[in-house]
Amino acid sequence: MLLRCNGRMPRRRNAAGRTIGCPDPDHIALPMPDTLATADELGMRLALDQALNAQLAGEVPVGAVILQHTAQGPQVLATGYNRPITTHDPTAHAEIVALRHAAQLLQNYRLPDCTLYVTLEPCAMCAMALLHARLKRVVFAAADPKTGAAGSVLDLFADPRLNHHTTLVGGVLAEPAAALLRQFFAERRAQQRIERAERVEHVERVERGEHVERADRGALRAAAPPSPDQATIPVGETTEWHAPASPDPQHREPQ
Ligand SMILES: [Zn+2]
């Protein structure tokens, strides 16, 4: 169970003798998990919540959260969700958004005591940013066979020519993360089919010489195929998702 602090939960010991609560009203204190696997699932559930925020904003549903390891246990330091479309920013992937918030909060461009959880395998841009930040661990859920840079298309975390300070874990809660992506793309395809049918219907009406009302002409323009620079999924972003070869969590220490 997650315990939200909100400044009204002073640090105290719970029934199990663990210290919970947090003096910082912006932090969410997590009960100390019994195992690392449990901790990773707790972190990934928070990232999945962020992915839902992306979905609500009409973005590809990918979410991230950064937990800082403190003497009181892991604390939520920053969150982020995918929003390149809404912010007109091709770098606004969930990991980058969360990284920027965390670095600003700590006033440090390196985050060695932190773990980042993200619901989709990082792309090359995000993987390099995570390596630059010297994160302690990176945990992702679903693999991305099209742009994944943590083992799918390439593996920047394992390249011996780069500095390695980051432990990589993949496949944690992969199925719920993948289900969210599958649902998103299925809805997109259904919407595209509707728009295609509307375009055909309007063209047929024009060809038959039917009078097209002003409102209908507006609908016709709205249903016109988007130009390449109006694509709703940014270039380089995942456009589909397929099941990873191995859904089991994969742990790998830095080399
Ligand atoms: Zn990325």
Side-chain angles (χ1 to χ4, degrees), residues 13-210:
R13 289 189 180 279
N14 66 6
R18 297 185 182 122
T19 301
I20 59 174
C22 174
D24 186 333
D26 293 324
H27 284 182
I28 295 174
L30 303 178
M32 192 76 78
D34 295 328
T35 68
L36 198 56
T38 307
D40 284 347
E41 290 196 1
L42 283 171
M44 194 59 75
R45 288 188 195 286
L46 296 176
L48 282 165
D49 284 344
Q50 293 299 311
L52 290 172
N53 287 339
Q55 185 181 38
L56 288 172
E59 303 269 10
V60 175
V62 179
V65 62
I66 295 176
L67 298 190
Q68 185 180 25
H69 306 281
T70 71
Q72 289 76 43
Q75 293 183 335
V76 175
L77 184 62
T79 60
Y81 59 87
N82 200 38
R83 48 185 193 180
I85 300 169
T86 47
T87 60
H88 313 294
D89 179 359
T91 71
H93 290 189
E95 303 96 312
I96 302 292
V97 173
L99 272 181
R100 285 182 172 144
H101 287 165
Q104 286 294 316
L105 196 62
L106 296 182
Q107 290 290 287
N108 190 345
Y109 73 109
R110 286 186 170 159
L111 308 168
D113 297 322
C114 297
T115 295
L116 179 136
Y117 296 87
V118 60
T119 57
L120 184 65
E121 181 181 353
C123 69
M125 173 184 72
C126 293
M128 282 310 303
L130 297 170
L131 289 173
H132 284 309
R134 300 285 196 265
L135 281 152
K136 185 180 181 68
R137 300 172 73 237
V138 169
V139 183
F140 70 87
D144 184 348
K146 291 205 169 180
T147 62
S152 290
V153 178
L154 67 161
D155 194 346
L156 292 172
F157 292 89
D159 192 318
R161 295 166 295 184
L162 303 173
N163 289 327
H164 290 287
H165 302 266
T166 302
T167 298
L168 182 68
V169 181
V172 174
L173 297 184
E175 181 46 36
L180 206 55
L181 289 162
R182 279 197 301 268
Q183 178 192 5
F184 174 82
F185 289 117
E187 289 176 356
R188 269 185 54 81
R189 284 192 294 272
Q191 183 62 33
Q192 286 168 348
R193 279 195 294 273
I194 292 171
E195 291 176 357
R196 202 177 305 128
E198 286 177 349
R199 284 198 298 275
V200 169
E201 180 188 346
H202 278 281
V203 168
E204 288 175 349
R205 288 178 63 189
V206 170
E207 287 177 348
R208 287 197 301 267
E210 290 184 15

